[in-house]
Amino acid sequence: MTQSTLFDPTPTERIAELRDTLNYHIYRYYVLDDPHVSDAEYDALFDELAALEQANPELITVDSPTQRVGGLVQDKFEKVQHVTRMLSLAKALSAEELQAWHTRTVKLLPDNTPLDFTIEPKIDGLTVVLTYEDGAFTLGATRGNGEIGEKITPNLRTLNALPQRIPVNPDSTVPVPSLLVVRGEAFFPLDKWEKFNRDLADAGERTYMNPRNAASGALRQLDSAITASRPLSAYIYDIVLADGIELPALQTQRLDLLREWGFPVPEDVRYAQSIDEILTVYDDWLELREQINYEVDGLVIKINDRPMADDLGFTGKDPRGSIAMKFPAQERTTKLLDVQVNVGRTGTLAPLANLEPVEVGGVVVRNATLHNFDEIARKDIRIGDTVVIKRAGDVIPYIIGPVESLRDGSERPIEPPSVCPTCGEPTVQPVGEVAIYCENSACPAQLVRRVEYFVGRSALDIRSFGTKTGAQLAENGLIHDIADIYYLNRADLLALDGYKEKKVDNLLAGVELSKQQSAVRVLTAIGIRFVGSTVAGLLLDEVGSIDALAQADQARLTAIEGVGPRIAASVIAWFQSEHNQNVLRKLREAGLQFAIERVEPAGAQPFEGKTFVITGTLPTLKRDAAKAIIEAAGGKVTGSVSKNTDYLLAGEKAGSKLTKAEQLGVTVVDEAWLTVNCGK
Ligand code: IVH
């Protein structure tokens, strides 16, 4: 980092310093998952940079973190010729084929040449080729046909995981090539993809079939601000060209070098010396692939000695020195028995496929998402069809499409519902939207969904509210809107099936405690379309309270960064509804927090300042739930074990993270320990 001098730095110096520092913090956050500064410190530095740049616009450079939000609009993508042909990989579909590759390779080498391999995840994303000149990122392209790709530099600049300048760590002394070309894969993290699709479906928009399409859609935007709004990430795995430095020979060393420059390099790269070892790693990966947050469709086995691998040349487009070993597809065919229509909290009618149960990669699948009726029509999916389904990670499986050749004529087309399946009111499809809505604000199904959301983790987080509680209260007429949960009475609850004293006390205590939740959570919880916790934060930061927000007009709202006309219109429409005004009044009278100055929820913070990593399968808690407990107790959860990790929360089949934690002397704890110590 620049040394401070006796004199105040000039704007040029300070801007350069802030730029490097912030880019380094972005790297610590997005690549290492191990931030060095708090969000508030980061924001302060960012604001200082933004202010300096605003005063000195001529000093803004493309690699400034303020430019990561995108904004450059192109009219088309220019073509670009790659420095070398971007090859593909031959595939081995079985252990025998892998063995055959090994035998062929050995024959091409002098007798008794020792061979070792790296084993990398084969990431199912979009290949990207990045060029750095004297350390600065200057060109980003798609793979295209291998020879000619498309320039998507402004879009790739918005990916926080990718360095704008290397080395990212200002203290690093690693040599930097005058010209560097690297190759990797950009992808949509699975959990983010699922949420993104859910939001699209809620907003009545077309969803993306799979994370890969979503990544491709995000990168192929002419307006880079759209790319910036989508949470893409990337992994880099290959140095294509490095002028001006001596490249180390081994792939393991090259991955280390990429890491040192500050590129995101896949974790869990393994090393093997024999086919048997490779097959053991493969078996481990069949489980590991279920736990990671991106799609992996196989492994890439590379001869570790890169010059040796290069000398082997290629067959057709495939280098001889590497091979891809595909995982069995997590795709199966099954029968579509029926389509059930679920009413969402905003009234969207979402189709859900009921399937003949089928095992996919060790899990029995009975349901799959269909997102909306437009998609059903587009894919021409019919009841009785044999359909191809796919599952990846923890997300709900999805239908890829019907197998038309297996139809026997008995299949029935799926009609979009003309009335709400719950309340029977006629449905509405707004012009330009693909979603179909039930617009009856008294619809009991919507109420149940709204309550679920209201008490959920991202909203008021009322733990004592079980999944069935909302439905039971609504069915028994104890609630008619979300605010009614603050007016429940003990006697009514005790009269319900299965509600004993203890359960009722718990429920009421949880409801009472939620009155201390922040205004941002309250605003999130009331469920205005397009207003999730991030937008709720932006809005309240600006206007200060929910009551002030109710008064804000279109101009005031759209002046807020991150708030466009669509959000503004939705906010205004929400506050105009008489039903909603009534709900708001009841919430205010119940004593919920409406202004941001109020104190954050009180409660024990026994994990304040402690960093956790979670690995393996926990006996009862899902990862998200464990994470929420840790965070509620003041702790932080990161993705990889380092010397800064305080606790590794380990379950069954904990893999490399456990080994690493043990090596580093990190305390390993289990779920039982967590529940005892979290102070809740
Ligand atoms: S090495 C010479 N390593 O899989 C080929 N490829 O056909 C260099 N991919 O689209 C590729 N993860 O971009 C390599 N760890 C990894 C990979 C990987 C994904 C992609 C690659 C290409 C396809 C292989």
Side-chain angles (χ1 to χ4, degrees), residues 87-89 120-123 127 183 185 237 300 302 319:
L87 303 165
S88 53
L89 290 174
E120 300 170 15
K122 186 168 179 307
I123 303 136
T127 305
R183 171 172 172 170
E185 208 81 358
Y237 49 73
V300 183
K302 300 177 182 173

Side-chain angles (χ1 to χ4, degrees), residues 85-91 119-128 143 183-185 212 235-238 251 255 266 269 297-302 306 317-319 322 324:
R85 206 148 56 103
M86 293 298 136
L87 303 165
S88 53
L89 290 174
K91 292 182 192 69
I119 304 159
E120 300 170 15
K122 186 168 179 307
I123 303 136
D124 194 10
L126 228 81
T127 305
V128 292
R143 175 173 181 271
R183 171 172 172 170
E185 208 81 358
R212 193 173 184 285
Y235 276 131
I236 303 299
Y237 49 73
D238 192 30
Q251 172 71 357
L255 292 174
V269 172
D297 57 355
L299 297 178
V300 183
I301 294 117
K302 300 177 182 173
R306 296 318 289 160
K317 278 195 196 157
D318 306 328
S322 308

Side-chain angles (χ1 to χ4, degrees), residues 146-158:
E147 286 183 34
I148 295 181
E150 285 179 321
K151 251 192 215 184
I152 50 167
T153 320
N155 295 357
L156 286 170
R157 272 195 205 288
T158 69

Side-chain angles (χ1 to χ4, degrees), residues 123-384:
I123 303 136
D124 194 10
L126 228 81
T127 305
V128 292
V129 184
L130 315 174
T131 304
Y132 288 77
E133 292 171 60
D134 293 323
F137 174 51
T138 50
L139 173 68
T142 63
R143 175 173 181 271
N145 64 7
E147 286 183 34
I148 295 181
E150 285 179 321
K151 251 192 215 184
I152 50 167
T153 320
N155 295 357
L156 286 170
R157 272 195 205 288
T158 69
L159 269 65
N160 285 313
L162 292 178
Q164 300 275 21
R165 176 174 291 279
I166 54 167
V168 179
N169 184 346
D171 297 330
S172 167
T173 53
V174 60
V176 168
S178 51
L179 178 66
L180 173 70
V181 181
V182 298
R183 171 172 172 170
E185 208 81 358
F187 59 89
F188 218 112
L190 275 173
D191 57 348
K192 306 251 167 66
W193 167 69
E194 195 181 40
K195 176 169 187 317
F196 179 58
N197 255 358
R198 222 182 308 123
D199 290 349
L200 286 176
D202 270 352
E205 288 177 28
R206 227 184 268 293
T207 51
Y208 286 94
M209 182 115 106
N210 55 46
R212 193 173 184 285
N213 286 356
S216 164
L219 280 181
R220 299 198 80 277
Q221 294 289 334
L222 289 165
D223 177 355
S224 61
I226 299 180
T227 314
S229 70
R230 312 218 172 139
L232 295 183
S233 194
Y235 276 131
I236 303 299
Y237 49 73
D238 192 30
I239 302 177
V240 178
L241 180 104
D243 277 349
I245 63 156
E246 182 101 33
L247 266 189
L250 303 180
Q251 172 71 357
T252 37
Q253 297 167 323
R254 292 188 184 184
L255 292 174
D256 284 341
L257 183 58
L258 283 166
R259 226 174 255 129
E260 234 176 294
W261 280 325
F263 288 101
V265 173
E267 284 177 51
D268 296 306
V269 172
R270 306 278 285 272
Y271 172 84
Q273 287 178 302
S274 66
I275 293 292
D276 282 347
E277 283 178 16
I278 296 177
L279 293 174
T280 309
V281 171
Y282 181 86
D283 284 342
D284 288 350
W285 257 103
L286 291 179
E287 280 168 25
L288 189 58
R289 75 185 291 212
E290 301 283 333
Q291 298 171 18
I292 53 179
N293 199 15
Y294 53 94
E295 277 204 277
V296 177
D297 57 355
L299 297 178
V300 183
I301 294 117
K302 300 177 182 173
I303 292 181
N304 199 9
D305 186 324
R306 296 318 289 160
M308 183 200 290
D310 293 342
D311 285 347
L312 290 171
F314 20 138
T315 47
K317 278 195 196 157
D318 306 328
R320 288 205 177 88
S322 308
I323 192 155
M325 218 183 158
K326 289 279 217 169
F327 290 137
Q330 280 175 311
E331 283 178 21
R332 279 280 185 291
T333 54
T334 187
K335 271 237 155 37
L336 174 60
L337 302 176
D338 200 2
V339 171
Q340 166 190 334
V341 179
N342 290 328
V343 185
R345 74 188 156 84
T346 56
T348 38
L349 298 183
L352 180 76
N354 291 343
L355 305 167
E356 205 167 82
V358 59
E359 198 232 84
V360 193
V363 171
V364 178
V365 172
R366 294 191 164 76
N367 297 109
T369 19
L370 280 162
H371 298 303
N372 55 53
F373 287 91
D374 192 72
E375 183 171 311
I376 295 177
R378 201 156 33 88
K379 293 182 184 165
D380 186 21
I381 299 170
R382 305 180 192 177
I383 290 172

